[in-house]
Amino acid sequence: MQFTDKCLIELKAGNGGDGIVAWRREAHYPEGGPWGGDGGNGGSIILIGDHNVNSFFHLKNKKIIVAKNGNNGESKLATGKSANDLYIKVPLGTSIYDNDTNELIQEILQDKQECIVCLGGRGGHGNAFFKSSKNKAPSLFERGDIGEKKNIRLELRYIADIGIIGFPNAGKSSLLSKISNAKPKIANYQFTTLVPVFGTVKNKNKSLVFADIPGLIEGASSGKGLGFDFLKHIERCLILIHLISIEDNELKSKYDKINEELMKYNPSLLTKKTFVVLNKMDLEHDQKIIKQFEKQIKQDVYCISTKDSLNINELLNKIFLEYDKINSLRQSMLSDKDNIKIIKVIKEKQHDQEIKVINVDENTWRIESEFLKYWSHKIPLTTNDNIIRYNQKLLTVKVEEKAKQNGAKKGDTMLIYGNEFTID
């Protein structure tokens, strides 16, 4: 299986189409009137959970993903065609980050759960939209909004009910192959398992997903061996099986070293229900050592053999019973909001009206503002009505007044996103 659990992609939603100025010219309608349609919406980029996808391999060569733009409006009140939204399938357990700010945007945990990561631009209005009792023949129109753009990082934490942890050669792969439909590679050397392996385990008409988590050695939390790339896959497991080989001379030492790595990575992992299991009981062993180990860790120790299936069914029965208890408690604590199947994240764009005045030279000033950047794109200064509307936006944020407060004087030039204005 090709395995990719991290992915960087640049996403660009489609721009909205422009509205247009058009007039009705027909013999039976001598008064005519505005007839320009709105632009269509640009396509959004939506990530959707798909239980059939198990890695980001299908995105490996997609460094940039761009949605289509909406079409411009047309005459006869025709709205431009909106672009289709672009859906990207991701595995369950995907965390979506803004790679520039490191902000967690959303986690995809359920099948068909959606997250709108980049919102397509809205289409601009044509002049028919602006018709009113005060202005029956407006020459107002707008450009479409620019679609959102983001650099995102996808990280995959696989969702398994039960995680099997322990040092290499403890027999994790052998146990998973014995109890499930998984066929992991098994050999007598470290890091036989190079990726998490999952198997479905059935018990009394119930089934749970078990995961063989590789990479746990002393120093794993700081990146040694396979490092913390695989520690993260333990976080969503409800129960852990801490598997230790009876061949190990220092059972308590092995147990402590694994727990120390869990503590360094995420202390909450030690609060999970954990079954401590000794494997390879078919080999010669001293029962006194096992009793001593139980006293040292102050909890029950389960003894099995993957070679001859000793006590494995009994262990599974206890694990399934414990899972039912923990899961029932968890479900009772979930709110209705937590149980929503489809989650869409849409953040309304708020344009900061703060003005920044920069002195370019003795008589020239550059104005910077999110608000004015947006409206400078939105309102083309190609009609008298649009010029009046744009000037109203300048008055809203008192741009001339603030320029003068920073040292500008009458007759100086203001540069505002491609437009030049003389200060009165």
Side-chain angles (χ1 to χ4, degrees):
M1 179 187 78
Q2 296 282 1
F3 179 81
T4 307
D5 70 347
K6 281 185 181 178
C7 188
L8 295 176
I9 315 175
E10 180 182 328
L11 302 181
K12 172 67 174 70
N15 298 333
D18 298 340
I20 68 163
V21 173
W23 306 100
R24 189 168 193 174
R25 308 294 187 194
E26 292 181 348
H28 300 293
Y29 296 93
E31 293 185 4
W35 228 17
D38 298 343
N41 297 328
S44 297
I45 299 182
I46 302 171
L47 270 59
I48 181 168
D50 189 329
H51 69 277
N52 294 312
V53 177
N54 56 20
S55 78
F56 301 131
F57 184 71
H58 61 297
L59 302 174
K60 182 178 179 182
N61 297 317
K62 295 181 185 283
K63 302 301 181 186
I64 302 176
I65 296 178
V66 181
K68 292 184 177 180
N69 299 331
N71 290 346
N72 294 337
E74 299 178 12
S75 63
K76 299 183 180 180
L77 307 179
T79 299
K81 183 179 178 181
S82 293
N84 292 329
D85 293 332
L86 189 56
Y87 284 83
I88 301 173
K89 295 179 180 179
V90 295
L92 307 188
T94 296
S95 297
I96 308 166
Y97 292 91
D98 185 320
N99 200 49
D100 296 325
T101 65
N102 211 36
E103 174 194 5
L104 175 63
I105 299 172
Q106 183 70 37
E107 290 183 316
I108 301 293
L109 303 177
Q110 301 179 48
D111 194 42
K112 295 184 173 60
Q113 179 186 335
E114 298 179 9
C115 173
I116 301 178
V117 180
C118 287
L119 193 62
R122 290 177 300 178
H125 292 303
N127 67 329
F129 175 85
F130 295 99
K131 181 181 178 181
S132 68
S133 59
K134 294 182 180 179
N135 190 353
K136 295 184 178 180
S139 58
L140 290 164
F141 74 103
E142 296 174 331
R143 293 192 183 102
D145 290 348
I146 296 173
E148 288 185 322
K149 183 178 180 181
K150 279 193 182 78
N151 293 311
I152 65 166
R153 181 176 77 255
L154 304 179
E155 294 186 3
L156 180 58
R157 289 174 174 83
Y158 282 111
I159 300 175
D161 302 304
I162 316 294
I164 308 173
I165 63 173
F167 276 92
N169 298 334
K172 301 189 299 296
S173 297
S174 296
L175 175 60
L176 187 63
S177 66
K178 180 71 70 172
I179 62 178
S180 75
N181 56 353
K183 303 299 178 186
K185 183 178 179 182
I186 301 172
N188 190 29
Y189 54 84
Q190 283 196 343
F191 307 131
T192 306
T193 304
L194 298 178
V195 300
V197 178
F198 297 82
T200 300
V201 179
K202 295 182 178 180
N203 182 274
K204 297 179 181 178
N205 298 320
K206 295 183 179 180
S207 61
L208 297 175
V209 177
F210 283 56
D212 171 10
I213 309 295
L216 292 191
I217 63 172
E218 190 174 3
S221 61
S222 57
K224 187 176 179 183
L226 298 179
F228 48 71
D229 281 347
F230 299 112
L231 275 162
K232 64 189 178 187
H233 297 302
I234 303 171
E235 291 181 291
R236 293 201 173 109
C237 297
L238 211 57
I239 293 175
L240 299 179
I241 299 173
H242 188 158
L243 198 64
I244 304 171
S245 172
I246 195 66
E247 294 175 296
D248 295 325
N249 295 324
E250 299 291 336
L251 299 181
K252 179 65 163 54
S253 175
K254 291 285 187 180
Y255 172 84
D256 287 342
K257 285 176 181 176
I258 290 293
N259 282 349
E260 185 178 348
E261 297 307 318
L262 298 182
M263 170 66 77
K264 288 178 180 177
Y265 178 75
N266 184 349
S268 67
L269 294 177
L270 294 182
T271 66
K272 291 182 180 291
K273 172 63 180 178
T274 301
F275 285 79
V276 180
V277 180
L278 294 181
N279 186 27
K280 305 184 182 179
M281 297 301 294
D282 53 289
L283 302 177
E284 287 189 21
H285 58 277
D286 188 340
Q287 197 67 29
K288 292 180 181 179
I289 294 176
I290 299 173
K291 292 294 183 183
Q292 181 184 11
F293 179 50
E294 279 187 317
K295 289 181 180 179
Q296 288 172 328
I297 65 173
K298 298 179 181 179
Q299 71 178 90
D300 292 335
V301 172
Y302 301 88
C303 300
I304 68 167
S305 169
T306 54
K307 184 175 181 180
D308 56 20
S309 301
L310 176 70
N311 295 333
I312 287 180
N313 286 336
E314 290 82 353
L315 175 63
L316 289 180
N317 288 337
K318 291 180 182 295
I319 290 173
F320 272 72
L321 284 173
E322 189 65 29
Y323 180 88
D324 285 344
K325 290 178 185 177
I326 297 173
N327 192 46
S328 295
L329 179 61
R330 182 181 65 169
Q331 291 299 325
S332 67
M333 295 173 65
L334 290 176
S335 66
D336 291 338
K337 182 179 178 182
D338 294 318
N339 283 315
I340 293 174
K341 287 288 183 182
I342 306 299
I343 301 171
K344 294 188 179 183
V345 174
I346 304 176
K347 293 184 178 179
E348 287 294 329
K349 186 68 174 177
Q350 299 295 325
H351 303 289
D352 191 346
Q353 294 190 6
E354 183 180 351
I355 300 292
K356 187 176 182 181
V357 181
I358 301 170
N359 187 206
V360 177
D361 57 36
E362 185 178 355
N363 302 112
T364 307
W365 306 81
R366 187 170 72 250
I367 308 299
E368 293 184 356
S369 160
E370 280 189 18
F371 179 82
L372 292 179
K373 182 179 181 180
Y374 174 78
W375 287 109
S376 295
H377 165 79
K378 192 75 173 172
I379 305 175
L381 304 185
T382 54
T383 69
N384 286 333
D385 282 353
N386 271 12
I387 291 171
I388 292 170
R389 188 182 183 210
Y390 186 79
N391 282 330
Q392 289 171 342
K393 300 297 181 184
L394 299 183
L395 290 171
T396 297
V397 293
K398 302 178 181 178
V399 65
E400 273 199 8
E401 180 181 324
K402 291 177 181 177
K404 288 177 180 178
Q405 289 172 358
N406 282 271
K409 53 190 180 296
K410 184 177 180 179
D412 285 359
T413 299
M414 293 188 299
L415 305 177
I416 308 178
Y417 299 100
N419 300 317
E420 292 188 12
F421 298 87
T422 301
I423 297 175
D424 293 330

